């Protein structure tokens, strides 16, 4: 495993462990998800550059567009829960209530 592959895989694993263990607030969970998506974007971009393929060049941009949509939906949920519940703590949210 090259140092570049190790760096991107460790970045993804750090985001995943942050999402699994430190999800007290919704904002921290969203930041961990965003870090995972950005590491995937950089890894996919470098993979397309290494292969010199023009057919793979659109996939990092598509991943970045989906990541931006995911971030905007997450921030909209964050604002909605902060307005209704007064906090963004995930322990206070009960998803079974309307």
């Amino acid at each position: 495993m090259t140092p570049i592959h190790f760096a991107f895989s460790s970045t993804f694993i750090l985001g995943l462990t942050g999402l699994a263990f430190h999800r007290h607030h919704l904002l921290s969970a969203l930041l961990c998800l965003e870090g995972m998506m950005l590491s995937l974007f950089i890894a996919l971009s470098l993979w397309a550059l290494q292969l010199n393929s023009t057919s793979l060049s659109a996939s990092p941009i598509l991943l970045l567009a989906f990541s931006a949509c995911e971030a905007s939906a997450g921030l909209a949920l964050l604002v909605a829960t902060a307005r209704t519940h007064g906090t963004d703590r995930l322990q206070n949210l009960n998803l079974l209530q309307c």
Side-chain angles (χ1 to χ4, degrees), residues 42-54 56-60:
I42 293 172
L44 194 61
S45 299
L46 287 178
W47 184 55
L49 283 175
Q50 283 179 352
L51 293 179
N52 290 331
S53 176
T54 58
L56 293 175
S57 63
S59 58

Side-chain angles (χ1 to χ4, degrees), residues 40-88:
L40 284 176
F41 168 72
I42 293 172
L44 194 61
S45 299
L46 287 178
W47 184 55
L49 283 175
Q50 283 179 352
L51 293 179
N52 290 331
S53 176
T54 58
S55 64
L56 293 175
S57 63
S59 58
I61 300 299
L62 188 65
L63 180 73
L64 192 62
F66 283 133
S67 175
C69 293
E70 175 257 333
S72 66
L75 287 177
L77 285 173
L78 176 72
V79 169
T81 56
R83 285 184 181 171
T84 58
H85 296 290
T87 184
D88 69 333

